[in-house]
Amino acid sequence: YWNYGHELFKSTAETFPAAFIQGDAFDSGMISPREPFYSPEDASFREIPLRSLTSLNPLQGRLNVIHASSFFHLFDEEGQLDLARRVATLLSPERGSMIFGAHGGRAEKGFRTEAVSSSGRYMFCHSPESWKALWDGPVFKKGTVKVEAVLHQVIRKDIDLVPGTQ
């Protein structure tokens, strides 16, 4: 995919030296389960040559900004909790560090029954309230994070809806 991106944006590995680490976020070899970092003293700050990484484990506790979009809602509720716990291990304990993105959601948490995925399953979606509750308590120690979540309605004409739904 990087080669397609370079072609599209007329860049090269030299002009856009991003490191792409392909892997399964649920594989402990990619992101080991552990508690999030709560103080800078807990995180290692040795120099890491990003282009040599084959896993995200060396980045645990080191990332100030994590962007994750169109990702969490691909998994069931239990998978989303597991994923959130793993992603949280990557976040730096420095003040102002953040995880942000956009995902499929609902006014009330539950399955999106208006459309079926290509695998024949319904998508599990959090509500803004359940999304906040996921991160503040089960993922990070209660009261140690600020979680903001809003719901925006998006009309998609590219999805075949289940008959009788809107």
Side-chain angles (χ1 to χ4, degrees), residues 5 16 25-26 28 37 43 80 91 114 116 119 122 129 134 137 149-150 159 166:
F16 185 73
F26 296 103
S28 295
F37 292 87
Q80 289 183 34
L91 194 65
E114 301 84 19
V116 179
S119 65
Y122 292 117
E129 293 75 24
L134 169 79
V150 294
I159 295 177
Q166 296 183 11

Side-chain angles (χ1 to χ4, degrees), residues 58-126:
L59 298 177
Q60 287 183 312
R62 299 183 57 134
L63 303 181
N64 297 95
V65 177
I66 299 171
H67 176 249
S69 281
S70 300
F71 183 47
F72 278 89
H73 64 261
L74 299 176
F75 307 101
D76 62 17
E77 185 173 15
E78 183 179 307
Q80 289 183 34
L81 174 58
D82 185 16
L83 182 60
R85 285 180 170 151
R86 290 173 188 265
V87 169
T89 71
L90 300 171
L91 194 65
S92 167
E94 292 181 45
R95 185 173 183 79
S97 295
M98 69 179 73
I99 301 170
F100 71 100
H103 309 281
R106 297 181 58 79
E108 292 183 30
K109 89 172 184 174
F111 288 97
R112 182 167 187 241
T113 57
E114 301 84 19
V116 179
S117 71
S118 58
S119 65
R121 298 184 315 190
Y122 292 117
M123 178 178 20
F124 178 81
C125 298
H126 277 282

Side-chain angles (χ1 to χ4, degrees), residues 103 128 131-132 148-152:
H103 309 281
W131 187 248
K132 291 174 189 178
E148 297 178 9
V150 294
L151 187 64
H152 295 282

Side-chain angles (χ1 to χ4, degrees), residues 36-38 135-137 139-147:
F37 292 87
Y38 292 99
W135 292 93
D136 189 19
V139 174
F140 291 99
K141 291 177 189 171
K142 189 132 184 83
T144 62
V145 295
K146 177 182 176 184
V147 183

